[in-house]
Amino acid sequence: MSTIVWNREGVVEDDRWATVEGESAFVSMDEALELAATGGREIGVLVEPADDPARLKPILDRLAIIALDFPAFNDGRAFSHAALLRDRLGYGGEIRGVGDVLLDQVPFMLRVGIDSVETAHEPTARRLTEMRLPGVDLHYQPAALKAEPTNTYSWRRRAAV
Amino acid sequence: MYRYDEFDRDFVSARVAQFRDQVERRLSGDISEDAFKPLRLMNGVYLQLHAYMLRVAIPYGTLSSKQMRMLAHIARKYDRGYGHFTTRQNIQYNWPKLGDIPDILEDLAGVEMHAIQTSGNCIRNVTADHFAGAAADEVADPRPYAEILRQWSSLHPEFSFLPRKFKIAVTAAENDRAAIQVHDIGLQLKKNDEGQIGFAVWIGGGQGRTPMIAKKIKDFLPEADLLSYVTAIMRVYNLHGRRDNKYKARIKILVHETGTEELAAQIEAEWAHLRDGELRLPDADVARITDYFAAPDLPARAEGWAELAAWKKADSGFASWVTQNVRPHRHPDYGMVTISLKPIGGIPGDASDAQMDAVADLAEQYSADEIRVTHEQNLVLPHVALADLEPLYRALQAEGLATANSGLVTDIIACPGLDYCALANARSIPVAQEISERFGDQARQEEIGDLKIKISGCINACGHHHVGHIGILGVEKKGAELYQITLGGSADENTSIGEIVGRGFEPEKVTDAIETIVSTYLSGRSGTDEAFIDYYRRVGAAPFKEALYGDKAEAA
């Protein structure tokens, strides 16, 4: 089973943070906090569903990338983590969705502020490679990803082109 | 009524196309049933015992004649000629083919309807008082706020994968007809001393295997803060609601385990960040949505008063129907008419395609083109002139829709039960039918008075048995169906959870047990003005236990 890393530009080859043969390059939040204190190498941190991403606040500018874990299709905590990282903590770096990432979640992930995803699910990888996303471009609520206001109601948005 | 604008139309079309693509991927094997399940559920498609089931959203239970005709058309073309109105003001079809569902959704989109979020672990169809916009006792129409919440919650990117389903109800009267205290969020519209509109906010109510009454966490939330505050509740729930056990995943458990005060404080802290942000509702937007719900033009029809009196005198059947099924409208020359979907011995909530078409015609002719679906599985024509009641009654009679039992013992709520549902342990519909037959005599029903019987075929409580004055819960014991009876439940402004009266009854003994309970009430009540629930609250369970079990009374 091969995994791909994908962002809005397309498939990312030889990504520095890609999982290789089951080996993840990300460290836990505790490890990240330690590493940041000691300085040195680039940090990619994995935020798990039960973690509180606000703990990263003091080290956000030391992070190269934040991975948000989607351990199962029905665990949606990472959607709120992304929203908090973008809207509340003002994190401007890359956020990646990892784990059980399936096609139909990807449009939602992009909207809450996730930039890239890693997936091992073959049909998902195929559709992402073809840049055929199943999302709806009209939104009834604001979200972290910049979108255009409409001339109708304050809560509506239209995907930026 | 709300009408789609271009944005809404394009959105629903895009959603239909998205679902068509998902169905195609499922049929081609690109996605497994496991992966497809949450996708189909988010669009109201269940896999039941015998077939797929499609649940169509009827936002806050409001329909036009044109929309009702489309529901009839779908029943005729894609199903077996009927549909089933649900306790969340929706309609479900029991026999559609999966491959047809995208076409059904396209037909629905043609009349500004959809099946978005009628199932799944997301924010479900927002419900409201079925007499909204017509009742004399409401502060303001609750539906504009339900519509704003419907829009905001549609395909919400952050809240589409919640720990569990999430139900919001809105009422605008002290007399709560929307059962807000058994919802995840209950909103009670009110005015403050300055005459400004706001909401009392309740959270954590629910039924299922752990019934709980909602707790009030805010006495007055200003109108402009509706979306930011609800977002704060949703975010705290999404992050902290339990995901280890689906039976403990509703917000009621989070409220219970965290403590109301502590959770309210967490919500308040989250809200502080959101309150002045993009979600603040501009007055002009609320006003524009409210305009859609402007009351229809109802001309004076004072002649109805004298006519009504004469008709009632001439026909006791009509008089009964008016007494039971017609309620005062805020316009004195009009009434709000409940069309019972509980014919004696029938299936609660079912309507045939012909009946739906007939109701559509009658709504057009007599009720300003408006129809409501109630959470008690009946329909309502909200704006009928008293002067039109007699011809309306005749027309309903011809369709088998003039049963005069609104609020009476045969106005039973029942879930689909083991006849359809994959979760059920026991049948519900045949139990409802037998009770209805037993108590079908009109004079006897009227003698008994207000009495709500609610039946669920399993502990998930879709038949709302916890809040029935008499609740019946079907369970499976040693491979056989057994029915537990609860007494004293209620889902209005004095919400209470019914208490189990004793050991359960075999299917063939349930109706006799109900008869015993009713007889106990009739012989013990202080007078005809003491309703069953009031009697129960006065005397408790003892006389019922005694009558049902005698000396052998024991806990279930």
Side-chain angles (χ1 to χ4, degrees):
Chain A
M1 189 159 50
S2 65
T3 62
I4 66 158
V5 173
W6 178 93
N7 66 24
R8 246 168 317 218
E9 311 292 308
V11 174
V12 184
E13 304 291 347
D14 302 321
D15 183 82
R16 154 87 179 81
W17 301 99
T19 303
V20 179
E21 289 167 8
E23 284 296 310
S24 167
F26 295 106
V27 298
S28 71
M29 280 197 11
D30 285 338
E31 288 171 277
L33 288 162
E34 267 177 46
L35 283 172
T38 53
R41 67 178 171 103
E42 268 192 314
I43 305 171
V45 62
L46 176 70
V47 176
E48 294 184 63
D51 288 340
D52 176 6
R55 289 177 60 216
L56 296 173
K57 193 174 177 181
I59 63 162
L60 284 175
D61 55 2
R62 287 278 291 108
L63 300 176
I65 182 170
I66 298 175
L68 300 180
D69 186 24
F70 292 82
F73 192 85
N74 59 11
D75 191 333
R77 283 176 283 188
F79 291 103
S80 286
H81 289 162
L84 286 170
L85 283 166
R86 292 295 187 216
D87 297 338
R88 183 76 36 84
L89 302 171
Y91 176 68
E94 181 172 358
I95 301 181
R96 176 169 302 174
V98 301
D100 189 16
V101 172
L102 295 176
L103 181 66
D104 295 276
Q105 291 178 314
V106 175
F108 288 143
M109 291 182 185
L110 297 177
R111 289 198 59 213
V112 293
I114 291 173
D115 309 283
S116 60
V117 297
E118 180 178 82
T119 181
H121 184 247
E122 198 278 324
T124 298
R126 179 160 27 101
R127 281 283 291 260
L128 290 176
T129 306
E130 294 164 5
M131 299 301 276
R132 290 171 58 215
L133 266 70
V136 174
D137 285 343
L138 301 168
H139 314 310
Y140 280 110
Q141 59 295 109
L145 180 66
K146 272 267 167 274
E148 306 295 329
T150 70
N151 58 0
T152 58
Y153 300 98
S154 60
W155 53 87
R156 292 181 178 179
R157 298 289 182 275
R158 199 177 284 275
V161 272
Chain B
M1 271 186 67
Y2 185 70
R3 296 300 313 271
Y4 280 11
D5 57 21
E6 197 185 340
F7 185 98
D8 297 304
R9 270 192 297 275
D10 291 348
F11 177 89
V12 171
S13 297
R15 180 69 182 108
V16 174
Q18 183 186 38
F19 189 68
R20 191 181 287 282
D21 170 55
Q22 290 167 350
V23 169
E24 278 162 16
R25 280 185 279 141
R26 172 70 196 111
L27 294 174
S28 75
D30 259 10
I31 25 182
S32 64
E33 165 55 22
D34 274 358
F36 182 57
K37 186 177 170 188
L39 301 179
R40 62 171 165 75
L41 286 179
M42 281 175 69
N43 217 21
V45 181
Y46 283 76
L47 186 53
Q48 289 293 38
L49 280 179
H50 314 292
Y52 282 100
M53 185 266 275
L54 174 67
R55 185 181 292 150
V56 174
I58 302 174
Y60 34 90
T62 294
L63 280 169
S64 69
S65 298
K66 189 176 165 189
Q67 291 173 322
M68 183 63 104
R69 284 196 193 95
M70 180 56 79
L71 297 181
H73 165 80
I74 289 166
R76 206 161 33 237
K77 182 169 175 187
Y78 302 102
D79 206 280
R80 298 186 179 175
Y82 67 98
H84 178 77
F85 289 96
T86 78
T87 56
R88 297 209 74 253
Q89 302 181 298
N90 294 320
I91 185 170
Q92 57 200 37
Y93 295 101
N94 288 303
W95 309 99
K97 293 188 192 67
L98 180 60
D100 282 344
I101 291 176
D103 292 337
I104 298 176
L105 295 174
E106 208 153 312
D107 285 353
L108 286 169
V111 294
E112 305 183 0
M113 294 183 83
H114 59 71
I116 297 168
Q117 288 164 219
T118 53
S119 179
N121 293 338
C122 49
I123 301 169
R124 303 287 190 89
N125 183 35
V126 180
T127 55
D129 181 359
H130 47 264
F131 291 141
D137 61 351
E138 73 185 13
V139 172
D141 194 327
R143 292 173 301 166
Y145 304 95
E147 172 60 24
I148 290 170
L149 287 165
R150 179 193 76 81
Q151 294 194 17
W152 160 83
S153 64
S154 294
L155 299 188
H156 197 295
E158 188 180 342
F159 306 131
S160 288
F161 302 91
L162 298 169
R164 199 75 180 82
K165 59 188 169 184
F166 204 93
K167 300 174 181 178
I168 304 177
V170 196
T171 191
E174 282 292 331
N175 178 2
D176 174 17
R177 291 171 292 256
I180 65 166
Q181 291 181 49
V182 286
H183 280 77
D184 295 288
I185 295 180
L187 297 167
Q188 184 198 347
L189 214 154
K190 59 201 283 195
K191 280 187 179 160
N192 66 9
D193 294 341
E194 286 81 54
Q196 293 154 334
I197 284 181
F199 306 88
V201 183
W202 304 67
I203 63 169
Q207 302 195 50
R209 67 185 61 205
T210 318
M212 290 195 185
I213 297 170
K215 311 291 187 296
K216 187 154 82 171
I217 57 165
K218 206 157 203 55
D219 198 50
F220 190 83
L221 175 74
E223 177 189 81
D225 299 325
L226 177 64
L227 293 183
S228 60
Y229 193 74
V230 173
T231 298
I233 297 173
M234 298 311 304
R235 184 170 285 167
V236 169
Y237 170 59
N238 190 42
L239 286 169
H240 303 298
R242 285 181 60 174
R243 293 175 187 265
D244 58 326
N245 178 342
K246 72 181 264 200
Y247 301 116
K248 294 182 190 258
R250 297 284 291 269
I251 196 174
K252 64 189 172 189
I253 302 294
L254 182 65
V255 173
H256 180 70
E257 291 182 349
T258 312
T260 308
E261 249 177 69
E262 165 60 22
L263 196 70
Q266 291 177 18
I267 291 165
E268 200 71 20
E270 183 59 38
W271 182 45
H273 293 287
L274 298 169
R275 187 173 182 178
D276 297 316
E278 298 180 283
L279 287 169
R280 197 173 173 80
L281 287 176
D283 291 346
D285 283 2
V286 177
R288 277 174 65 201
I289 295 278
T290 303
D291 280 348
Y292 281 109
F293 295 91
D297 183 31
L298 301 175
R301 298 283 302 277
E303 75 278 14
W305 289 74
E307 289 174 349
L308 182 59
W311 289 329
K312 282 167 80 168
K313 206 169 162 189
D315 180 345
S316 65
F318 173 75
S320 284
W321 178 76
V322 171
T323 304
Q324 292 308 326
N325 292 30
V326 183
R327 290 284 166 271
H329 192 280
R330 67 168 66 130
H331 189 311
D333 298 346
Y334 287 75
M336 309 184 292
V337 174
T338 298
I339 299 175
S340 170
L341 296 181
K342 317 291 175 65
I344 301 308
I347 297 176
D350 273 12
S352 69
D353 59 329
Q355 287 178 322
M356 288 188 247
D357 276 336
V359 170
D361 291 348
L362 293 169
E364 207 164 54
Q365 194 172 356
Y366 296 121
S367 181
D369 206 23
E370 257 194 58
I371 303 154
R372 308 288 173 76
V373 182
T374 79
H375 77 272
E376 296 183 317
Q377 300 184 283
N378 291 312
L379 301 176
V380 165
L381 298 184
H383 312 291
V384 180
L386 302 181
D388 292 331
L389 285 175
E390 205 272 350
L392 171 65
Y393 174 70
R394 298 287 161 224
L396 289 171
Q397 251 187 334
E399 300 295 336
L401 289 169
T403 314
N405 63 351
S406 175
L408 298 181
V409 59
T410 59
D411 187 2
I412 299 169
I413 291 183
C415 72
L418 200 51
D419 292 291
Y420 294 100
C421 179
L423 300 174
N425 298 120
R427 293 165 298 161
S428 305
I429 292 169
V431 175
Q433 288 173 304
E434 193 178 307
I435 294 169
S436 175
E437 294 282 3
R438 179 78 66 93
F439 291 94
D441 178 71
Q442 188 66 30
R444 189 169 180 219
Q445 290 195 61
E446 290 175 18
E447 166 69 16
I448 297 165
D450 282 357
L451 176 50
K452 295 180 193 295
I453 296 183
K454 305 184 193 234
I455 308 172
S456 304
C458 79
I459 191 62
N460 293 309
C462 298
H464 297 183
H465 67 276
H466 294 301
V467 292
H469 299 161
I470 300 176
I472 301 175
L473 166 64
V475 296
E476 191 233 293
K477 207 165 184 180
K478 295 179 188 147
E481 293 163 304
L482 195 72
Y483 294 87
Q484 262 177 9
I485 294 179
T486 54
L487 297 175
S490 175
D492 55 11
E493 62 280 12
N494 300 308
T495 293
S496 54
I497 304 295
E499 295 157 336
I500 296 171
V501 71
R503 65 177 187 275
F505 296 88
E506 291 83 18
E508 63 279 7
K509 292 183 180 154
V510 176
T511 307
D512 287 341
I514 303 302
E515 178 109 44
T516 302
I517 290 166
V518 169
S519 304
T520 304
Y521 154 65
L522 289 176
S523 61
R525 69 182 176 187
S526 60
T528 50
D529 58 350
E530 186 176 45
F532 180 92
I533 186 70
D534 299 324
Y535 173 72
Y536 181 84
R537 284 173 178 166
R538 178 166 63 85
V539 304
F544 296 101
K545 283 184 199 274
E546 171 72 25
L548 286 168
Y549 306 108
D551 296 335
K552 293 173 296 189
E554 59 182 81

